[in-house]
Amino acid sequence: FRASGGPSGRSGHRMVACRRQLIIFGGFHESARDYIYYNDVYAFNLDSFTWSKLAPAGIGPAPRSGCQMTASPEGNIIIYGGYSKQRIKKDVDKGTLHTDMFLLKAEGVGKEEDRWTWSRLSPSGVKPPPRSGFSVAVGPGNRSLLFGGVHDEEEEESLEGDFFNDLYCYDMGKNRWFPAQLKAPKSEKRKRRRGKQAESEAAGDEEVEQRPPQGPLEIVKEVVTEDGTVMTIKQVISGAAEEKERSESEEEEEEGGALGPPVEPCPRSNAMVAVKHGVLFVYGGMFEVGDRQFTLSDLHSIDLHRMEEWKVLLEMDPKTQEWLEESESDEEDDVEGAEGGEEEEESSEEESEDDEGEEQHPAVESGENPQEYLSRTEQYWIKLARSHMGPEAKEKKVVKVAHAMAKTFHEGSV
């Protein structure tokens, strides 16, 4: 069976099933010499098994790949975001993260040939920060879900990515974005209400200090893997979310103990997501540390109706993580290996010694707090971090990684 008239070969395109048709939009094709991004629309009829190129009226999205594409219950299609690049001059490209949204509306439903029209949407609410590599699923309540992704930032000659693990909802009926935030269980809410009521009664007519509105807050978390690599994770939360998180943590402390940090998927891009019976499942994805790319194998879920907690269905084992290290050329690697074989063997022996066990690191003395331990052993950890990160790593970043490694080791020893 062969169906002619379909789209050209491409990747990064998106496809949804809509009214007995498969609708395909966008994507890109890259060759050794050039690349091209698309914004064309094709339909594959599931009854006749034929392709047709659609020619919607109106002004549609600019060419792009990796966008959000969702079919609404009414049989319309929503396009959000995406990525494209264009050549500024020879060997110089500029990447663009798109944050616009469009509606592809079917008109004349039931007739022999549908007519389609593009229109631009201007949703209200709190929109997701710009990103690429996010994952999309359709959830309950006529909502489209967006999870994770990465925002690449160019720094001098390097490219560093801020990864996300947040969840945003787009209400297709109300044309509104909002962040999906965890709610406290009902028992916790009742405790907090009682605590607040008692507190207000005790305070009487005393004035309560009003906090000024808070701006966005960047939270930096650091996770050390089995081989000593430190993953630096950045997460940006809105002022309202920060205020809510802070007030809830204060209430928990007043009630006699915090619940500890909530379980959640670590930030990532290109994860797979699916919704079944109102439960969102998130599996795998990719995370970068310097020139290493880690493939993740954990599985999380969250009940979208309750929004109380993430559940870990399959934990990530750091020992089984795959990583790919980029190099400028295979020839360069061969030359380095031929010239520096002995040094390479020595360094690998040192690394294996470090990996044998924690007893190789400076021991934590009795009653020594993290700052005291770091002051005493800082140079050791800086040397260790430099051996893992290589001579090209910036000193500031090496020191930051060294401090994180020392802190992690201290916490594991106390």
Side-chain angles (χ1 to χ4, degrees), residues 41-262:
V41 187
Y42 284 82
F44 183 76
N45 191 295
L46 294 172
D47 295 318
S48 62
F49 278 35
T50 54
W51 283 106
S52 60
K53 184 176 182 179
L54 305 183
I59 299 175
R64 64 192 64 191
S65 70
C67 63
Q68 172 183 355
M69 187 174 182
T70 309
S72 72
E74 299 79 25
N76 301 320
I77 293 171
I78 294 163
I79 302 285
Y80 167 75
Y83 173 84
S84 66
K85 63 181 180 180
Q86 58 183 6
R87 187 144 291 162
I88 305 301
K89 54 185 179 180
K90 187 178 180 182
D91 299 328
V92 178
D93 298 323
K94 181 184 178 184
T96 301
L97 283 176
H98 299 280
T99 58
D100 46 6
M101 180 174 273
F102 292 83
L103 176 69
L104 181 58
K105 188 174 182 179
E107 299 173 345
V109 177
K111 297 181 180 179
E112 288 186 7
E113 189 173 340
D114 296 339
R115 289 180 289 110
W116 298 83
T117 303
W118 282 117
S119 61
R120 186 160 184 156
L121 295 175
S122 298
S124 61
V126 181
K127 303 176 182 68
R131 64 189 70 188
S132 61
F134 52 77
S135 308
V136 177
V138 176
N142 197 19
R143 292 169 179 173
S144 180
L145 308 174
L146 182 152
F147 171 80
V150 60
H151 183 187
D152 290 322
E153 293 182 355
E154 293 186 18
E155 186 177 320
E156 295 177 4
E157 295 182 357
S158 64
L159 189 69
E160 293 191 2
D162 288 343
F163 287 77
F164 299 92
N165 64 345
D166 48 2
L167 180 63
Y168 278 80
C169 300
Y170 173 71
D171 189 316
M172 290 185 271
K174 297 179 180 178
N175 188 28
R176 183 174 72 93
W177 279 108
F178 62 93
Q181 297 174 345
L182 294 182
K183 301 173 184 175
K186 290 182 180 178
S187 59
E188 284 292 318
K189 287 181 181 177
R190 283 196 292 270
K191 283 182 185 176
R192 289 171 187 163
R193 279 200 295 269
R194 285 200 297 270
K196 273 191 173 182
Q197 188 177 354
E199 188 180 306
S200 61
E201 287 173 0
D205 296 330
E206 289 180 12
E207 289 187 7
V208 180
E209 182 183 351
Q210 297 292 326
R211 289 194 185 104
Q214 299 293 317
L217 174 70
E218 184 180 88
I219 298 175
V220 178
K221 301 177 184 177
E222 288 168 335
V223 180
V224 181
T225 62
E226 288 290 316
D227 67 350
T229 301
V230 177
M231 298 192 208
T232 302
I233 299 168
K234 291 184 182 178
Q235 183 180 3
V236 179
I237 61 174
S238 65
E242 180 210 349
E243 189 70 22
K244 179 182 176 185
E245 186 175 308
R246 182 167 57 185
S247 62
E248 288 186 358
S249 64
E250 286 171 359
E251 288 161 12
E252 284 167 0
E253 287 171 9
E254 288 167 6
E255 289 164 15
L259 299 175

Side-chain angles (χ1 to χ4, degrees), residues 170-350:
Y170 173 71
D171 189 316
M172 290 185 271
K174 297 179 180 178
N175 188 28
R176 183 174 72 93
W177 279 108
F178 62 93
Q181 297 174 345
L182 294 182
K183 301 173 184 175
K186 290 182 180 178
S187 59
E188 284 292 318
K189 287 181 181 177
R190 283 196 292 270
K191 283 182 185 176
R192 289 171 187 163
R193 279 200 295 269
R194 285 200 297 270
K196 273 191 173 182
Q197 188 177 354
E199 188 180 306
S200 61
E201 287 173 0
D205 296 330
E206 289 180 12
E207 289 187 7
V208 180
E209 182 183 351
Q210 297 292 326
R211 289 194 185 104
Q214 299 293 317
L217 174 70
E218 184 180 88
I219 298 175
V220 178
K221 301 177 184 177
E222 288 168 335
V223 180
V224 181
T225 62
E226 288 290 316
D227 67 350
T229 301
V230 177
M231 298 192 208
T232 302
I233 299 168
K234 291 184 182 178
Q235 183 180 3
V236 179
I237 61 174
S238 65
E242 180 210 349
E243 189 70 22
K244 179 182 176 185
E245 186 175 308
R246 182 167 57 185
S247 62
E248 288 186 358
S249 64
E250 286 171 359
E251 288 161 12
E252 284 167 0
E253 287 171 9
E254 288 167 6
E255 289 164 15
L259 299 175
V263 174
E264 58 185 1
C266 76
R268 64 194 67 197
S269 67
N270 299 311
M272 285 292 103
V273 297
V275 175
K276 181 70 172 179
H277 298 314
V279 177
L280 172 68
F281 296 88
V282 176
Y283 176 76
M286 187 271 287
F287 185 84
E288 290 181 353
V289 183
D291 56 2
R292 292 186 175 190
Q293 297 180 346
F294 288 85
T295 53
L296 308 175
S297 59
D298 51 346
L299 177 64
H300 290 72
S301 71
I302 187 169
D303 188 322
L304 296 169
H305 295 294
R306 302 172 69 89
M307 286 301 294
E308 289 181 354
E309 61 177 349
W310 282 97
K311 293 182 179 178
V312 183
L313 305 181
L314 185 62
E315 290 187 350
M316 179 174 60
D317 183 359
K319 294 178 182 177
T320 62
Q321 284 184 28
E322 297 176 25
W323 61 269
L324 306 173
E325 190 167 356
E326 296 177 359
S327 59
E328 291 184 8
S329 69
D330 292 334
E331 286 181 17
E332 194 174 279
D333 290 344
D334 292 338
V335 171
E336 285 178 3
E339 291 178 351
E342 280 185 24
E343 287 183 20
E344 202 170 291
E345 285 176 14
E346 287 173 12
S347 64
S348 64
E349 283 174 13
E350 288 174 10

